[in-house]
Amino acid sequence: MKCQITETGYLQIPAEIAQHYFPTGAIIAILQGQDLLIMPVNYVGAGGLILKYRNARGDRSVFISEFLPDDVDFGPRDVQWDEEALALRIPLYLNQ
């Protein structure tokens, strides 16, 4: 699975990942060590960040700049679902 962190501070999530793991379109983001954890919110009224549609395919993006350290590596990266944390685990640095 791949996602991308852009230089403008957005996390871009492909449609298949967003639809499978984040069906409500709402998330919370937490820094854990050198990873960013993206967790689903059960319903939009509970708060959190909203995944915006980027295109007709259903790819999504969310502004995460406030969660990113100043020295984060931008660009595409391999991500994985962390069953224990119930979150999408995104490495912030490409050399991990």
Side-chain angles (χ1 to χ4, degrees):
M1 293 190 299
K2 293 221 183 250
C3 288
Q4 178 165 314
I5 296 176
T6 70
E7 289 185 26
T8 55
Y10 284 86
L11 173 64
Q12 296 177 344
I13 303 173
E16 51 277 356
I17 294 173
Q19 292 167 357
H20 186 269
Y21 294 110
F22 312 109
T24 65
I27 64 160
I28 57 172
I30 299 173
L31 280 178
Q32 186 179 68
Q34 295 189 356
D35 294 332
L36 181 67
L37 300 181
I38 303 297
M39 301 173 175
V41 174
N42 288 337
Y43 67 100
V44 177
L49 304 170
I50 303 298
L51 296 175
K52 309 289 188 204
Y53 282 97
R54 293 189 59 233
N55 54 37
R57 282 190 313 255
D59 294 340
R60 304 290 195 93
S61 66
V62 61
F63 191 64
I64 58 165
S65 178
E66 63 198 58
F67 299 99
L68 299 177
D70 292 336
D71 62 343
V72 69
D73 293 334
F74 299 106
R77 61 213 55 232
D78 292 318
V79 300
Q80 63 183 358
W81 182 255
D82 184 329
E83 193 62 39
E84 186 175 314
L86 296 176
L88 189 65
R89 185 173 290 277
I90 301 166
L92 293 174
Y93 303 97
L94 297 174
N95 59 358
Q96 286 186 357

